[in-house]
Amino acid sequence: TVNNQASSPAGKTIGGLNTSGTSTFGGTVTLNGQVNLSAATGGTVGFGGIISGSSQNVVVNGYGLSLSGIIIMSAANTYSGNTYISGGTLQFNSGGSAANSPNFYLGETSGNQTAILALGATGGGQTLNNPITVRNGSSGTKTITSLATSSSSTLGGNIALNDNLTVSSVTGGNLTLGGVISGSSYGLTKTGAG
């Protein structure tokens, strides 16, 4: 169990330095302040326990660290702050969610980091209903992708485009966008064989 205390220094980060393979945090994480979850470029960091915290934000590869690794969430997290995917990938595996997070923000407001939200249930049947805002500023691409190789995964929340968005689905699966997509002057590009 990790307790992230509000009284500790700002810019708190939990993550891995591995540039290949996967590091795993299996215990729970209790947030009493905003936290940055980081994964070094080329590496993956998994969080298997529930991340909880009232009104506490979760940032992925943020704080100007310019990282592009993968953060995997496999539990039904209960934190109720916003989720910021500043760079790299936030992947929800089967059973993973952040249902109480009121807003997902995809992309940074400066720099060139790519930012990806991935639905990672390879068997499909996964649904995330969080509203998403695609942020403007970073020159990196912003992507929503499904890794389902059969059946369909669904993103049910509304998507507000403040920048261009790429959506993709791998061969054999489908990605359903069930919410309203809005935004002036920005486009949606589909890639992948699914």
Side-chain angles (χ1 to χ4, degrees), residues 29-129:
V29 179
T30 302
L31 303 180
N32 294 300
Q34 177 172 288
V35 70
N36 179 51
L37 306 181
S38 70
T41 300
T44 298
V45 177
F47 289 85
I50 292 172
I51 301 174
S52 64
S54 178
S55 301
Q56 302 302 331
N57 298 331
V58 171
V59 182
V60 173
N61 288 325
Y63 296 176
L65 297 178
S66 297
L67 301 175
S68 61
I70 300 170
I71 297 293
I72 295 178
M73 293 184 178
S74 301
N77 300 300
T78 61
Y79 68 89
S80 57
N82 293 322
T83 303
Y84 294 86
I85 308 169
S86 295
T89 300
L90 174 59
Q91 177 176 317
F92 288 94
N93 277 358
S94 181
S97 64
N100 295 335
S101 182
N103 298 288
F104 279 21
Y105 293 95
L106 184 62
E108 255 298 355
T109 57
S110 62
N112 59 5
Q113 285 178 282
T114 61
I116 301 170
L117 172 62
L119 284 73
T122 56
Q126 185 176 19
T127 299
L128 294 180
N129 288 316

Side-chain angles (χ1 to χ4, degrees), residues 107-180:
E108 255 298 355
T109 57
S110 62
N112 59 5
Q113 285 178 282
T114 61
I116 301 170
L117 172 62
L119 284 73
T122 56
Q126 185 176 19
T127 299
L128 294 180
N129 288 316
N130 311 76
I132 296 173
T133 298
V134 180
R135 298 205 291 177
N136 183 276
S138 170
S139 61
T141 58
K142 292 87 176 176
T143 302
I144 297 172
T145 186
S146 170
L147 303 182
T149 55
S150 64
S151 188
S152 180
S153 290
T154 300
L155 189 62
N158 295 336
I159 301 174
L161 299 180
N162 293 323
D163 203 349
N164 297 319
L165 175 66
T166 298
V167 293
S168 69
S169 180
V170 300
T171 301
N174 300 303
L175 173 61
T176 299
L177 303 179
V180 174

